[in-house]
Amino acid sequence: MSYVGPDFDPPQPRRSRRGPLTVALAALVPGALLGWLVYEAVGGGGPEGSDRTAAPSSGSPSRTAPASPSSPSALSASPSSSDGDGKRPAKSPTAAASGPLKGKVVVIDPGHNLGNFQHTAQINRQVDIGTNHKECDTTGTSTNAGYPEARFTLDLAHRLRTLLEQQGATVKLTHDEGGPSWGPCVDERARIGNAAHADAAISLHADGSAPGNRGFHVIMPGSVHSGAADTREIVGPSHDLGVRIVGNFVRETGEPPSNYLGGGTGFVTRTDLGGLNLSTVPKVFIECGNMRDSKDAALLTSGAWRQKAARGISEGMVSFLRRS
């Protein structure tokens, strides 16, 4: 997701540059831990508002905030770990299996919606995020070859849901196939997690920054108390959730922490995102990589890698939900 700058570009001629991941996992984990020590020493993630800019586009709506007049979907379609695009029919809610997370509720928010670019009037309308007003939602970004962020996030959400349900959690998605063709708006996405009384919530994204900018980062809520927004009670637990996800994501995927945000720690704190500002439950965003970088794009478009990403996020969430 690119928060500032140009929006979703229409598919461009395919570039078949698929660079293999060359960073050894053994080197990444110590680096991430060192970055975290630096983060703790200075007392925070990247500077507030240090957003990135996607590649130029023409005339499509701005990138992301969630929106819609729909209610949460408690769906249980089980994704495979193949290289598919994650399209699976929506199923009726099913009872959570027994497991260590039985009784826990998780809300997964797949960033954007594939139909957003066809509903510019709806997603461009302003909604109140407490500190100010922002667009209801945005189109998201894409790889240079045209693989949309919205397709990536939905596939990843399906994979993550299956893993968490296997641990016994009740999992709800903010939207899924068969639902509204756009949105939901950012304020509605937050309300879905709140209404579910989620024990944890996560919004899934991929970035649209400049080529050469690589890596993932987790966005945590800053302290906000303005209008309808009051994050003071969730800042601490959201930080804990973010820390656990970062460590597990590095280990499972081998993807390095962002080299362009967060000072190499993998952590960024923001107070301008409606999905975080309006949440009353512990919640973070994760930008799993940069779709405009050829090396990251090769990973993000791989079903096998998306399964690793789902596993890393799941293990971080399980660790958080099982804490005493």
Side-chain angles (χ1 to χ4, degrees):
M1 151 173 61
S2 296
Y3 293 101
V4 270
D7 314 316
F8 172 78
D9 295 327
Q12 303 174 16
R14 180 170 298 274
R15 303 178 186 177
S16 78
R17 294 173 53 204
R18 298 176 65 87
L21 179 66
T22 57
V23 182
L25 181 57
L28 283 172
V29 174
L33 293 176
L34 178 59
W36 169 236
L37 293 175
V38 174
Y39 170 84
E40 288 286 64
V42 300
E48 183 66 32
S50 59
D51 303 333
R52 42 270 170 241
T53 302
S57 77
S58 56
S60 47
S62 44
R63 283 133 345 266
T64 109
S68 125
S70 64
S71 58
S73 303
L75 305 164
S76 56
S78 297
S80 69
S81 57
S82 68
D83 275 323
D85 62 7
K87 284 194 171 184
R88 293 170 180 85
K91 295 183 180 179
S92 301
T94 57
S98 60
L101 298 187
K102 188 171 180 62
K104 299 293 186 181
V105 177
V106 176
V107 169
I108 302 174
D109 177 28
H112 314 288
N113 190 314
L114 283 169
N116 278 0
F117 73 96
Q118 295 176 323
H119 296 273
T120 56
Q122 290 93 331
I123 68 168
N124 283 336
R125 71 179 179 85
Q126 298 287 297
V127 298
D128 185 0
I129 65 166
T131 53
N132 59 297
H133 287 73
K134 293 186 79 170
E135 303 97 328
C136 155
D137 203 355
T138 58
T139 60
T141 188
S142 71
T143 65
N144 291 329
Y147 179 68
E149 180 185 0
R151 189 172 301 286
F152 166 81
T153 62
L154 190 57
D155 177 73
L156 181 59
H158 288 163
R159 296 169 188 271
L160 177 58
R161 175 176 60 192
T162 294
L163 293 173
L164 291 171
E165 286 180 340
Q166 289 171 351
Q167 295 288 318
T170 296
V171 182
K172 300 183 179 182
L173 270 60
T174 58
H175 69 97
D176 204 344
E177 290 156 340
S181 59
W182 57 274
C185 292
V186 287
D187 55 342
E188 177 66 12
R189 292 181 190 238
R191 280 194 292 269
I192 290 171
N194 300 344
H197 302 289
D199 295 286
I202 186 165
S203 189
L204 307 176
H205 291 273
D207 209 357
S209 187
N213 288 344
R214 284 206 62 203
F216 79 98
H217 60 277
V218 168
I219 304 172
M220 302 177 292
S223 183
V224 172
H225 185 209
S226 176
D230 188 352
T231 63
R232 291 174 295 178
E233 290 189 4
I234 68 163
V235 166
S238 297
H239 181 275
D240 185 21
L241 174 62
V243 169
R244 293 168 189 267
I245 289 174
V246 165
N248 283 279
F249 196 84
V250 168
R251 187 183 68 249
E252 290 294 335
T253 67
E255 177 76 345
S258 171
N259 63 6
Y260 60 102
L261 284 172
T265 65
F267 301 97
V268 173
T269 300
R270 293 180 62 168
T271 58
D272 64 327
L273 301 178
L276 295 179
N277 286 0
L278 299 176
S279 181
T280 59
V281 301
K283 184 175 182 180
V284 297
F285 281 41
I286 183 168
E287 298 277 3
C288 296
N290 177 19
M291 296 196 114
R292 295 307 179 114
D293 177 79
S294 60
K295 293 181 179 179
D296 274 3
L299 301 177
L300 296 166
T301 54
S302 162
W305 187 88
R306 291 195 298 274
Q307 190 65 22
K308 293 178 182 179
R311 192 160 56 242
I313 296 169
S314 171
E315 289 174 1
M317 298 191 83
V318 169
S319 172
F320 172 78
L321 292 169
R322 296 184 67 182
R323 74 199 190 288
S324 54

